mmCIF file with all atom_site columns, all heavy atoms in Angstrom:
data_model
loop_
_atom_site.group_PDB
_atom_site.id
_atom_site.type_symbol
_atom_site.label_atom_id
_atom_site.label_alt_id
_atom_site.label_comp_id
_atom_site.label_asym_id
_atom_site.label_entity_id
_atom_site.label_seq_id
_atom_site.pdbx_PDB_ins_code
_atom_site.Cartn_x
_atom_site.Cartn_y
_atom_site.Cartn_z
_atom_site.occupancy
_atom_site.B_iso_or_equiv
_atom_site.pdbx_formal_charge
_atom_site.auth_seq_id
_atom_site.auth_comp_id
_atom_site.auth_asym_id
_atom_site.auth_atom_id
_atom_site.pdbx_PDB_model_num
ATOM 1   N N   . MET I 1 309 ? -40.907 -17.650 11.193 1.00 91.00 ? 309 MET I N   1
ATOM 2   C CA  . MET I 1 309 ? -40.583 -16.427 10.489 1.00 91.00 ? 309 MET I CA  1
ATOM 3   C C   . MET I 1 309 ? -41.528 -15.292 10.864 1.00 91.00 ? 309 MET I C   1
ATOM 4   O O   . MET I 1 309 ? -41.120 -14.165 11.056 1.00 91.00 ? 309 MET I O   1
ATOM 5   C CB  . MET I 1 309 ? -40.724 -16.686 8.991  1.00 91.00 ? 309 MET I CB  1
ATOM 6   C CG  . MET I 1 309 ? -39.463 -16.509 8.219  1.00 91.00 ? 309 MET I CG  1
ATOM 7   S SD  . MET I 1 309 ? -39.889 -16.752 6.496  1.00 91.00 ? 309 MET I SD  1
ATOM 8   C CE  . MET I 1 309 ? -38.736 -18.020 6.092  1.00 91.00 ? 309 MET I CE  1
ATOM 9   N N   . MET I 1 310 ? -42.817 -15.632 10.954 1.00 90.00 ? 310 MET I N   1
ATOM 10  C CA  . MET I 1 310 ? -43.812 -14.576 11.089 1.00 90.00 ? 310 MET I CA  1
ATOM 11  C C   . MET I 1 310 ? -44.205 -14.287 12.518 1.00 90.00 ? 310 MET I C   1
ATOM 12  O O   . MET I 1 310 ? -44.656 -13.196 12.819 1.00 90.00 ? 310 MET I O   1
ATOM 13  C CB  . MET I 1 310 ? -45.058 -14.948 10.286 1.00 90.00 ? 310 MET I CB  1
ATOM 14  C CG  . MET I 1 310 ? -44.735 -14.994 8.817  1.00 90.00 ? 310 MET I CG  1
ATOM 15  S SD  . MET I 1 310 ? -46.134 -15.528 7.873  1.00 90.00 ? 310 MET I SD  1
ATOM 16  C CE  . MET I 1 310 ? -45.490 -15.359 6.229  1.00 90.00 ? 310 MET I CE  1
ATOM 17  N N   . GLU I 1 311 ? -44.075 -15.264 13.395 1.00 91.00 ? 311 GLU I N   1
ATOM 18  C CA  . GLU I 1 311 ? -44.502 -15.025 14.780 1.00 91.00 ? 311 GLU I CA  1
ATOM 19  C C   . GLU I 1 311 ? -43.424 -15.373 15.785 1.00 91.00 ? 311 GLU I C   1
ATOM 20  O O   . GLU I 1 311 ? -43.592 -15.167 16.970 1.00 91.00 ? 311 GLU I O   1
ATOM 21  C CB  . GLU I 1 311 ? -45.731 -15.884 15.113 1.00 91.00 ? 311 GLU I CB  1
ATOM 22  C CG  . GLU I 1 311 ? -46.793 -15.858 14.076 1.00 91.00 ? 311 GLU I CG  1
ATOM 23  C CD  . GLU I 1 311 ? -47.828 -16.938 14.290 1.00 91.00 ? 311 GLU I CD  1
ATOM 24  O OE1 . GLU I 1 311 ? -47.517 -17.971 14.921 1.00 91.00 ? 311 GLU I OE1 1
ATOM 25  O OE2 . GLU I 1 311 ? -48.953 -16.747 13.825 1.00 91.00 ? 311 GLU I OE2 1
ATOM 26  N N   . GLY I 1 312 ? -42.345 -15.945 15.317 1.00 86.00 ? 312 GLY I N   1
ATOM 27  C CA  . GLY I 1 312 ? -41.305 -16.405 16.237 1.00 86.00 ? 312 GLY I CA  1
ATOM 28  C C   . GLY I 1 312 ? -40.377 -15.274 16.649 1.00 86.00 ? 312 GLY I C   1
ATOM 29  O O   . GLY I 1 312 ? -40.681 -14.090 16.464 1.00 86.00 ? 312 GLY I O   1
ATOM 30  N N   . PRO I 1 313 ? -39.249 -15.644 17.190 1.00 87.00 ? 313 PRO I N   1
ATOM 31  C CA  . PRO I 1 313 ? -38.300 -14.642 17.689 1.00 87.00 ? 313 PRO I CA  1
ATOM 32  C C   . PRO I 1 313 ? -37.702 -13.772 16.582 1.00 87.00 ? 313 PRO I C   1
ATOM 33  O O   . PRO I 1 313 ? -37.099 -12.742 16.872 1.00 87.00 ? 313 PRO I O   1
ATOM 34  C CB  . PRO I 1 313 ? -37.216 -15.483 18.372 1.00 87.00 ? 313 PRO I CB  1
ATOM 35  C CG  . PRO I 1 313 ? -37.373 -16.854 17.813 1.00 87.00 ? 313 PRO I CG  1
ATOM 36  C CD  . PRO I 1 313 ? -38.812 -17.016 17.468 1.00 87.00 ? 313 PRO I CD  1
ATOM 37  N N   . TYR I 1 314 ? -37.860 -14.189 15.333 1.00 88.00 ? 314 TYR I N   1
ATOM 38  C CA  . TYR I 1 314 ? -37.282 -13.382 14.249 1.00 88.00 ? 314 TYR I CA  1
ATOM 39  C C   . TYR I 1 314 ? -38.359 -12.636 13.475 1.00 88.00 ? 314 TYR I C   1
ATOM 40  O O   . TYR I 1 314 ? -38.113 -12.154 12.375 1.00 88.00 ? 314 TYR I O   1
ATOM 41  C CB  . TYR I 1 314 ? -36.477 -14.253 13.293 1.00 88.00 ? 314 TYR I CB  1
ATOM 42  C CG  . TYR I 1 314 ? -35.531 -15.181 14.005 1.00 88.00 ? 314 TYR I CG  1
ATOM 43  C CD1 . TYR I 1 314 ? -35.731 -16.548 14.000 1.00 88.00 ? 314 TYR I CD1 1
ATOM 44  C CD2 . TYR I 1 314 ? -34.431 -14.664 14.698 1.00 88.00 ? 314 TYR I CD2 1
ATOM 45  C CE1 . TYR I 1 314 ? -34.872 -17.392 14.679 1.00 88.00 ? 314 TYR I CE1 1
ATOM 46  C CE2 . TYR I 1 314 ? -33.573 -15.504 15.378 1.00 88.00 ? 314 TYR I CE2 1
ATOM 47  C CZ  . TYR I 1 314 ? -33.801 -16.870 15.364 1.00 88.00 ? 314 TYR I CZ  1
ATOM 48  O OH  . TYR I 1 314 ? -32.956 -17.696 16.037 1.00 88.00 ? 314 TYR I OH  1
ATOM 49  N N   . ALA I 1 315 ? -39.551 -12.543 14.066 1.00 91.00 ? 315 ALA I N   1
ATOM 50  C CA  . ALA I 1 315 ? -40.653 -11.897 13.347 1.00 91.00 ? 315 ALA I CA  1
ATOM 51  C C   . ALA I 1 315 ? -40.292 -10.469 12.961 1.00 91.00 ? 315 ALA I C   1
ATOM 52  O O   . ALA I 1 315 ? -40.648 -9.996  11.878 1.00 91.00 ? 315 ALA I O   1
ATOM 53  C CB  . ALA I 1 315 ? -41.909 -11.920 14.209 1.00 91.00 ? 315 ALA I CB  1
ATOM 54  N N   . TRP I 1 316 ? -39.548 -9.776  13.826 1.00 91.00 ? 316 TRP I N   1
ATOM 55  C CA  . TRP I 1 316 ? -39.147 -8.396  13.506 1.00 91.00 ? 316 TRP I CA  1
ATOM 56  C C   . TRP I 1 316 ? -38.372 -8.362  12.200 1.00 91.00 ? 316 TRP I C   1
ATOM 57  O O   . TRP I 1 316 ? -38.524 -7.450  11.390 1.00 91.00 ? 316 TRP I O   1
ATOM 58  C CB  . TRP I 1 316 ? -38.286 -7.813  14.633 1.00 91.00 ? 316 TRP I CB  1
ATOM 59  C CG  . TRP I 1 316 ? -37.104 -8.671  14.972 1.00 91.00 ? 316 TRP I CG  1
ATOM 60  C CD1 . TRP I 1 316 ? -37.068 -9.705  15.847 1.00 91.00 ? 316 TRP I CD1 1
ATOM 61  C CD2 . TRP I 1 316 ? -35.791 -8.595  14.394 1.00 91.00 ? 316 TRP I CD2 1
ATOM 62  N NE1 . TRP I 1 316 ? -35.830 -10.282 15.863 1.00 91.00 ? 316 TRP I NE1 1
ATOM 63  C CE2 . TRP I 1 316 ? -35.023 -9.624  14.982 1.00 91.00 ? 316 TRP I CE2 1
ATOM 64  C CE3 . TRP I 1 316 ? -35.184 -7.762  13.445 1.00 91.00 ? 316 TRP I CE3 1
ATOM 65  C CZ2 . TRP I 1 316 ? -33.690 -9.843  14.654 1.00 91.00 ? 316 TRP I CZ2 1
ATOM 66  C CZ3 . TRP I 1 316 ? -33.856 -7.990  13.120 1.00 91.00 ? 316 TRP I CZ3 1
ATOM 67  C CH2 . TRP I 1 316 ? -33.129 -9.021  13.713 1.00 91.00 ? 316 TRP I CH2 1
ATOM 68  N N   . SER I 1 317 ? -37.548 -9.364  12.009 1.00 90.00 ? 317 SER I N   1
ATOM 69  C CA  . SER I 1 317 ? -36.731 -9.399  10.807 1.00 90.00 ? 317 SER I CA  1
ATOM 70  C C   . SER I 1 317 ? -37.598 -9.549  9.569  1.00 90.00 ? 317 SER I C   1
ATOM 71  O O   . SER I 1 317 ? -37.341 -8.945  8.525  1.00 90.00 ? 317 SER I O   1
ATOM 72  C CB  . SER I 1 317 ? -35.716 -10.534 10.917 1.00 90.00 ? 317 SER I CB  1
ATOM 73  O OG  . SER I 1 317 ? -35.105 -10.768 9.696  1.00 90.00 ? 317 SER I OG  1
ATOM 74  N N   . PHE I 1 318 ? -38.678 -10.353 9.721  1.00 92.00 ? 318 PHE I N   1
ATOM 75  C CA  . PHE I 1 318 ? -39.551 -10.549 8.569  1.00 92.00 ? 318 PHE I CA  1
ATOM 76  C C   . PHE I 1 318 ? -40.431 -9.328  8.333  1.00 92.00 ? 318 PHE I C   1
ATOM 77  O O   . PHE I 1 318 ? -40.436 -8.755  7.244  1.00 92.00 ? 318 PHE I O   1
ATOM 78  C CB  . PHE I 1 318 ? -40.425 -11.795 8.763  1.00 92.00 ? 318 PHE I CB  1
ATOM 79  C CG  . PHE I 1 318 ? -41.421 -11.984 7.652  1.00 92.00 ? 318 PHE I CG  1
ATOM 80  C CD1 . PHE I 1 318 ? -41.000 -12.461 6.421  1.00 92.00 ? 318 PHE I CD1 1
ATOM 81  C CD2 . PHE I 1 318 ? -42.760 -11.662 7.821  1.00 92.00 ? 318 PHE I CD2 1
ATOM 82  C CE1 . PHE I 1 318 ? -41.903 -12.618 5.382  1.00 92.00 ? 318 PHE I CE1 1
ATOM 83  C CE2 . PHE I 1 318 ? -43.662 -11.816 6.783  1.00 92.00 ? 318 PHE I CE2 1
ATOM 84  C CZ  . PHE I 1 318 ? -43.229 -12.294 5.560  1.00 92.00 ? 318 PHE I CZ  1
ATOM 85  N N   . TRP I 1 319 ? -41.169 -8.906  9.367  1.00 93.00 ? 319 TRP I N   1
ATOM 86  C CA  . TRP I 1 319 ? -42.161 -7.845  9.163  1.00 93.00 ? 319 TRP I CA  1
ATOM 87  C C   . TRP I 1 319 ? -41.515 -6.483  8.965  1.00 93.00 ? 319 TRP I C   1
ATOM 88  O O   . TRP I 1 319 ? -41.889 -5.733  8.073  1.00 93.00 ? 319 TRP I O   1
ATOM 89  C CB  . TRP I 1 319 ? -43.152 -7.802  10.329 1.00 93.00 ? 319 TRP I CB  1
ATOM 90  C CG  . TRP I 1 319 ? -44.005 -9.021  10.396 1.00 93.00 ? 319 TRP I CG  1
ATOM 91  C CD1 . TRP I 1 319 ? -43.942 -10.013 11.335 1.00 93.00 ? 319 TRP I CD1 1
ATOM 92  C CD2 . TRP I 1 319 ? -45.037 -9.403  9.475  1.00 93.00 ? 319 TRP I CD2 1
ATOM 93  N NE1 . TRP I 1 319 ? -44.876 -10.987 11.058 1.00 93.00 ? 319 TRP I NE1 1
ATOM 94  C CE2 . TRP I 1 319 ? -45.566 -10.638 9.921  1.00 93.00 ? 319 TRP I CE2 1
ATOM 95  C CE3 . TRP I 1 319 ? -45.571 -8.822  8.327  1.00 93.00 ? 319 TRP I CE3 1
ATOM 96  C CZ2 . TRP I 1 319 ? -46.586 -11.310 9.258  1.00 93.00 ? 319 TRP I CZ2 1
ATOM 97  C CZ3 . TRP I 1 319 ? -46.591 -9.482  7.671  1.00 93.00 ? 319 TRP I CZ3 1
ATOM 98  C CH2 . TRP I 1 319 ? -47.091 -10.707 8.139  1.00 93.00 ? 319 TRP I CH2 1
ATOM 99  N N   . ILE I 1 320 ? -40.549 -6.165  9.810  1.00 93.00 ? 320 ILE I N   1
ATOM 100 C CA  . ILE I 1 320 ? -39.992 -4.811  9.758  1.00 93.00 ? 320 ILE I CA  1
ATOM 101 C C   . ILE I 1 320 ? -38.898 -4.701  8.692  1.00 93.00 ? 320 ILE I C   1
ATOM 102 O O   . ILE I 1 320 ? -38.977 -3.881  7.780  1.00 93.00 ? 320 ILE I O   1
ATOM 103 C CB  . ILE I 1 320 ? -39.467 -4.399  11.150 1.00 93.00 ? 320 ILE I CB  1
ATOM 104 C CG1 . ILE I 1 320 ? -40.634 -4.431  12.148 1.00 93.00 ? 320 ILE I CG1 1
ATOM 105 C CG2 . ILE I 1 320 ? -38.847 -3.007  11.098 1.00 93.00 ? 320 ILE I CG2 1
ATOM 106 C CD1 . ILE I 1 320 ? -40.260 -4.124  13.562 1.00 93.00 ? 320 ILE I CD1 1
ATOM 107 N N   . LEU I 1 321 ? -37.877 -5.575  8.819  1.00 92.00 ? 321 LEU I N   1
ATOM 108 C CA  . LEU I 1 321 ? -36.752 -5.451  7.886  1.00 92.00 ? 321 LEU I CA  1
ATOM 109 C C   . LEU I 1 321 ? -37.134 -5.857  6.470  1.00 92.00 ? 321 LEU I C   1
ATOM 110 O O   . LEU I 1 321 ? -37.054 -5.076  5.529  1.00 92.00 ? 321 LEU I O   1
ATOM 111 C CB  . LEU I 1 321 ? -35.589 -6.316  8.365  1.00 92.00 ? 321 LEU I CB  1
ATOM 112 C CG  . LEU I 1 321 ? -34.487 -5.645  9.170  1.00 92.00 ? 321 LEU I CG  1
ATOM 113 C CD1 . LEU I 1 321 ? -33.369 -6.636  9.446  1.00 92.00 ? 321 LEU I CD1 1
ATOM 114 C CD2 . LEU I 1 321 ? -33.923 -4.444  8.412  1.00 92.00 ? 321 LEU I CD2 1
ATOM 115 N N   . GLN I 1 322 ? -37.536 -7.135  6.344  1.00 92.00 ? 322 GLN I N   1
ATOM 116 C CA  . GLN I 1 322 ? -37.769 -7.666  5.004  1.00 92.00 ? 322 GLN I CA  1
ATOM 117 C C   . GLN I 1 322 ? -38.959 -7.005  4.318  1.00 92.00 ? 322 GLN I C   1
ATOM 118 O O   . GLN I 1 322 ? -38.823 -6.436  3.235  1.00 92.00 ? 322 GLN I O   1
ATOM 119 C CB  . GLN I 1 322 ? -37.992 -9.185  5.080  1.00 92.00 ? 322 GLN I CB  1
ATOM 120 C CG  . GLN I 1 322 ? -38.463 -9.784  3.763  1.00 92.00 ? 322 GLN I CG  1
ATOM 121 C CD  . GLN I 1 322 ? -38.342 -11.298 3.733  1.00 92.00 ? 322 GLN I CD  1
ATOM 122 O OE1 . GLN I 1 322 ? -37.851 -11.923 4.662  1.00 92.00 ? 322 GLN I OE1 1
ATOM 123 N NE2 . GLN I 1 322 ? -38.779 -11.902 2.639  1.00 92.00 ? 322 GLN I NE2 1
#
Side-chain angles (χ1 to χ4, degrees):
Chain I
M309 241 184 235
M310 295 176 176
E311 314 167 335
Y314 312 112
W316 54 273
S317 168
F318 176 76
W319 294 109
I320 300 177
L321 263 185
Q322 171 165 357

